[in-house]
Amino acid sequence: MAGFYVISDISDRPMRKLPTSSLTAAIGDLLELTAGATTWAKTTSTTDHFTRKAIVMETATSSSSILCMELTGTEEVVCDATAAGNTAHNGDRMALTDENAVNNSGSDVTGQAVAFLQTGIVGTTKVKGYVLTGSGVDPDAS
């Protein structure tokens, strides 16, 4: 399975249809809702820690709404990584590469464009941890 998927969940999160704009998505894609937006879009390498996030739960082609599990940040997830997993990276904050993987470069990302906190590894090409989520409002905005 590619992309993100929940392996343990502290809260009971129901799935629901989220509005998108002609989005093509696969199960496990990570979406975000940025401040001021009315539709959800795929995450990218510039995704910030404070945007709302959700995991796609159905395959969709040019869809205006997609079944998703919106995340609160309490769900432990597994996702693909760009490099081999390394337990020395546990505790590192990581940027995403796209809607399916994190960039586990081996350094703790301290800027806004960070969306994952590694807590462990799964096999050689996947990591586990927490997707960083927020209200969608930039806490540093003036």
Side-chain angles (χ1 to χ4, degrees):
M1 173 182 284
F4 290 74
Y5 58 97
V6 175
I7 58 172
S8 66
D9 187 2
I10 294 171
S11 62
D12 183 20
R13 302 298 304 160
M15 290 182 273
R16 64 187 175 111
K17 292 274 191 175
L18 297 177
T20 60
S21 180
S22 298
L23 189 68
T24 297
I27 295 170
D29 284 354
L30 187 64
L31 305 183
E32 69 177 329
L33 184 67
T34 58
T38 58
T39 58
W40 292 73
K42 291 180 181 179
T43 55
T44 67
S45 61
T46 60
T47 292
D48 293 323
H49 63 90
F50 53 79
T51 59
R52 291 172 57 191
K53 301 190 183 66
I55 297 174
V56 173
M57 303 305 284
E58 68 178 348
T59 301
T61 303
S62 298
S63 183
S64 61
S65 66
I66 299 175
L67 185 66
C68 296
M69 177 190 293
E70 190 170 354
L71 302 174
T72 64
T74 63
E75 304 86 1
E76 188 173 28
V77 302
V78 169
C79 64
D80 295 335
T82 58
N86 186 331
T87 57
H89 302 166
N90 289 351
D92 283 357
R93 294 164 288 183
M94 299 175 180
L96 303 177
T97 57
D98 57 23
E99 72 277 6
N100 287 306
V102 299
N103 183 355
N104 59 332
S105 62
S107 60
D108 185 39
V109 178
T110 59
Q112 281 193 172
V114 59
F116 188 80
L117 174 69
Q118 180 180 307
T119 60
I121 60 172
V122 178
T124 57
T125 60
K126 296 187 182 295
V127 293
K128 66 179 177 177
Y130 297 92
V131 174
L132 303 176
T133 63
S135 64
V137 177
D138 183 348
D140 297 325
S142 52

